Structure formats: C-alpha cells, structure tokens
Amino acid sequence: MSQGNTGVTAQVVNAHACPVREVLDRVSGKWSVQILVAAAHGPIRFTELERSIEGISRRMLTLTLRNLERDGLVTRTVHPTVPPKVEYELTPVARELHETLLRLTDWAERNRHYIAESRAAYDTEHRPELTDV
C-alpha cells in the first residue's frame, strides 16, 4: 500500500516521534551515559565525576549535568560548607534508565562477536575490494 493510502504522512510520523527522539538524544549522548553510569553508585561530587570521565571538559560536564538536572534525571545538592560541597545523585527515573543501560550493555557484550562476524560476512559479499587487502 502506498504512503498516500495509509493516511500516514511524514509530518504525522515526525510529530509523534519528535518528543521521544528528543529524550533519546539527551539520554543517549556520550557524556550523559557516562555521567549516569558514574553517578549510579550514590551521591558523587563534581570533581569525582570530572576525574572518572575521561576526556570531558569542565564546561561540558557542567552543561551536561545542568541538562540532566533540568530533565529530572539528576539532583544537585549544595551543602552549606566552606567551600560549598556540591553532590549529584540519580533520581528514581534515572536509576530505572541506568538499569536499562546495563541491560543494553549486557546485550552488546553478548552479541558483539555475532555483529562483528555479520559485518565481516556482509563486507565480503558486498564489498570484496575491502577484504582483499
């Protein structure tokens, strides 16, 4: 059946997918995932996060934490000390997301050899010039 006959247009699909895509883009970002994993074991300070996430700049860590806080995935607690002690912790929703990330990681680990073999077989069949090297 053609797209015209289904009543489903690209605009309808995008209108429904857009909010989901926005959430997935946020939580699947390189830095967001690493922050969620690092903060999964309880409250963590900014400097601990910075040390545990290789390659992240202070600015990117700050921006990503702010976005995660805005999305309700991280809480920020400022303790009234000198200097102020700031800790970040996952919310219950983020803990659920972390469990999902762990399942995805487990799946990837179990299937990485299968995927590598499938890629090699595909490349041999469809791109023999790449395998002759």
Side-chain angles (χ1 to χ4, degrees):
M1 185 183 295
S2 73
Q3 186 175 354
N5 292 335
T6 66
V8 177
T9 64
Q11 292 82 9
V12 169
V13 171
N14 287 333
H16 290 292
C18 187
V20 172
R21 186 175 4 160
E22 182 181 330
V23 170
L24 289 175
D25 286 347
R26 177 64 56 85
V27 300
S28 66
K30 174 182 179 180
W31 302 121
S32 296
V33 169
Q34 291 186 51
I35 290 169
L36 292 170
V37 169
H41 303 292
I44 189 167
R45 295 181 71 174
F46 183 92
T47 53
E48 294 173 304
L49 281 169
E50 189 176 29
R51 275 187 252 121
S52 68
I53 301 172
E54 187 177 325
I56 194 167
S57 67
R58 286 187 144 238
R59 176 160 170 67
M60 187 52 66
L61 179 56
T62 300
L63 290 173
T64 307
L65 283 167
R66 195 172 292 150
N67 284 329
L68 291 171
E69 183 180 10
R70 181 175 178 242
D71 291 342
L73 298 174
V74 170
T75 58
R76 180 179 184 263
T77 304
V78 180
H79 299 279
T81 60
V82 178
K85 178 181 175 184
V86 180
E87 291 182 320
Y88 297 89
E89 189 170 13
L90 300 185
T91 64
V93 171
R95 291 200 178 285
E96 181 183 350
L97 173 59
H98 181 256
E99 292 172 13
T100 302
L101 290 172
L102 289 177
R103 286 195 305 275
L104 178 60
T105 302
D106 290 342
W107 176 89
E109 182 61 35
R110 282 192 323 273
N111 291 289
R112 65 188 175 95
H113 294 294
Y114 167 80
I115 291 171
E117 290 168 1
S118 295
R119 286 178 181 168
Y122 179 93
D123 289 348
T124 299
E125 183 178 338
H126 294 89
R127 302 160 141 192
E129 71 278 1
L130 295 177
T131 58
D132 291 336
V133 178

